[in-house]
Amino acid sequence: MENILEELKNDLNQIKKEHDLNEIKTKYLGKKGKITELSSKIKDLPVEEKKNFGANLNKLSLLDTKREEIETDILNKKLEEESIDISLPSTKIPMGAPNIVEKIVEEVEELLMSMGYDVVDGPEIEKDEYNFEMLNLPKGHPARDAQDTFYIEGEELLLRSQTSPVQIRTMLEGKGETPIRMIWPGKTYRRDDDDATHSHQFMQIEGLLIDKNVSLSDLKGTFDVVAKHLFGSDRLTRFRPSFYPFTEPSVELDISCFNCGMKGCPICKGTGWITVGGAGIVHPNVLKSSGYDPDKVSGFAFGFGIERLTMLKYGITDIRVLYTNDLRSNTQFSRRDV
Ligand code: DAH
């Protein structure tokens, strides 16, 4: 046994590669290996020698030590040979970007929250009662035609054609308490013709403020802050008389054209002004039906078209760009913004 171990030591001293080590292993420990053969005789040895033999077998750990040595050598060689060139450009990892419609929503939300508004939510499948009736649009009212709608189950449930029904929900929940300061962005549905600027599904941001002595000038001030925040501090705002059954008086919300400095261009259709939403003083009938006394409180409401704001801000002419989830549009506009 001792002779064999001596021979093994010599063999190991001469090898450099892992492959040789395997050969040596077979030579000594393989089926017909020298040590294997010797081990088969162990049972015939007297007890004292058995112990000795066993102790010698422990010396076979030499093989493991050699393997480690070789592996370290190989690794060191590799490290020496392969240096990493950190001057090479790295692989580009594609980055996502927030959807630009969502970005506008968040901008408006953050601004109005800083002014004390809460962001609330309402269902997209709405009662006819809240979407129309309690907003002063009884059945058969001609103003319903402008929002030709998707009905679900008879005539009582529909896909909301505007976010205004959340006004009713908020006031019913408010139970006559003031102030109410709420905004709610959300999807709305209309049977609009699908063309470059219309879609059967679009988004609005509705707002409602109810308190004592609320007037049109409060609405003007609020609108002014939103317009300047989104489109630049030198924007002008104006009200244009309008009609909505749930507000009296009603106005269209216009901002001065940011594209041409009010000289007239295709974006403002030559007028110098761009309409971004509707608004007004909440109609007494709406307050009454929702549990508020029009003699004691008043309020204003507004509704912006979110896609419209987005398209204006980013100079997009086709609304479908906003819905096709093409990362290129988002990253492009994202970069412009950063
Ligand atoms: N809901 C209206 C629409 O979809 C927009 C609107 C106008 C909302 C006046 C309001 C408002 O809250 O007071 O055309």
Side-chain angles (χ1 to χ4, degrees):
M1 178 68 178
E2 263 156 24
N3 289 344
I4 292 176
L5 280 173
E6 206 45 46
E7 194 183 337
L8 171 64
K9 250 190 218 164
N10 281 340
D11 278 356
L12 285 178
N13 276 340
Q14 278 162 35
I15 62 166
K16 288 256 144 31
K17 290 183 294 191
E18 217 172 351
H19 178 71
D20 300 337
L21 186 68
N22 289 336
E23 271 178 10
I24 289 181
K25 232 176 158 181
T26 324
K27 180 171 166 193
Y28 292 90
L29 293 170
K31 255 192 200 158
K32 291 193 176 148
K34 292 189 174 188
I35 295 178
T36 319
E37 270 176 10
L38 208 60
S39 303
S40 63
K41 291 176 192 148
I42 194 171
K43 56 182 185 310
D44 308 326
L45 293 173
V47 179
E48 245 336 282
E49 280 188 41
K50 260 187 197 164
K51 265 191 200 162
N52 209 359
F53 188 87
N56 272 324
L57 272 186
N58 281 341
K59 291 188 186 152
L60 287 174
S61 63
L62 272 179
L63 278 166
D64 290 331
T65 319
K66 187 71 188 177
R67 178 179 299 279
E68 273 165 29
E69 231 173 65
I70 291 176
E71 279 171 358
T72 318
D73 270 2
I74 292 173
L75 186 67
N76 282 340
K77 246 208 188 126
K78 253 194 187 167
L79 285 175
E80 254 169 46
E81 282 165 8
E82 296 173 13
S83 60
I84 300 165
D85 183 355
I86 54 165
S87 68
L88 279 177
S90 64
T91 337
K92 277 229 164 70
I93 301 167
M95 277 228 290
N99 183 283
I100 43 179
V101 176
E102 199 52 38
K103 264 172 72 171
I104 293 277
V105 173
E106 278 172 18
E107 257 179 71
V108 176
E109 275 180 5
E110 261 168 40
L111 174 70
L112 285 164
M113 272 158 61
S114 76
M115 293 163 72
Y117 285 73
D118 288 328
V119 179
V120 299
D121 202 5
E124 284 169 36
I125 295 179
E126 187 52 279
K127 294 179 188 171
D128 178 279
E129 191 188 358
Y130 293 171
N131 193 79
F132 287 132
E133 222 140 300
M134 287 174 77
L135 285 167
N136 217 17
L137 277 140
K139 289 206 165 67
H141 194 293
R144 280 193 180 210
D145 291 350
Q147 300 192 5
D148 207 354
T149 302
F150 297 108
Y151 286 88
I152 298 169
E153 285 178 25
E155 294 192 344
E156 295 315 317
L157 279 184
L158 43 83
L159 289 179
R160 68 180 177 199
S161 60
Q162 48 186 350
T163 40
S164 303
V166 192
Q167 290 188 28
I168 304 294
R169 290 180 172 273
T170 308
M171 283 191 272
L172 288 177
E173 242 172 59
K175 297 197 166 53
E177 297 281 313
T178 52
I180 289 179
R181 268 185 250 121
M182 294 286 188
I183 52 162
W184 46 96
K187 293 193 190 93
T188 54
Y189 302 84
R190 277 184 212 174
R191 222 188 62 195
D192 260 325
D193 286 334
D194 277 330
D195 63 30
T197 58
H198 289 91
S199 161
H200 62 280
Q201 180 217 293
F202 57 100
M203 289 183 76
Q204 295 185 326
I205 297 185
E206 192 84 14
L208 175 71
L209 183 139
I210 307 280
D211 209 342
K212 295 182 182 75
N213 302 319
V214 177
S215 72
L216 265 188
S217 63
D218 298 311
L219 172 63
K220 183 82 175 6
T222 308
F223 173 48
D224 211 63
V225 170
V226 175
K228 289 187 161 75
H229 180 74
L230 284 180
F231 294 102
S233 54
D234 49 351
R235 290 288 78 70
L236 303 176
T237 51
R238 77 169 183 190
F239 284 168
R240 224 159 15 90
S242 184
F243 171 76
Y244 294 101
F246 36 91
T247 42
E248 182 58 39
S250 304
V251 295
E252 295 294 305
L253 304 170
D254 290 353
I255 59 169
S256 60
C257 184
F258 51 83
N259 189 50
C260 63
M262 302 183 74
K263 285 192 200 85
C265 71
I267 289 186
C268 61
K269 299 197 179 89
T271 64
W273 293 93
I274 298 168
T275 305
V276 292
I281 294 296
V282 181
H283 197 288
N285 286 354
V286 177
L287 286 175
K288 248 186 269 171
S289 63
S290 310
Y292 283 79
D293 182 348
D295 291 329
K296 292 195 177 128
V297 298
S298 53
F300 65 68
F302 57 83
F304 294 115
I306 301 179
E307 284 84 353
R308 187 154 172 72
L309 295 178
T310 313
M311 290 167 79
L312 286 170
K313 176 148 184 170
Y314 294 103
I316 299 167
T317 48
D318 191 330
I319 197 167
R320 286 161 291 197
V321 168
L322 305 177
Y323 301 131
T324 45
N325 269 341
D326 188 335
L327 205 57
R328 284 175 304 177
S329 49
N330 285 341
T331 45
Q332 164 187 186
F333 295 121
S334 215
R335 244 184 274 132
R336 187 196 280 195
D337 230 44
V338 170

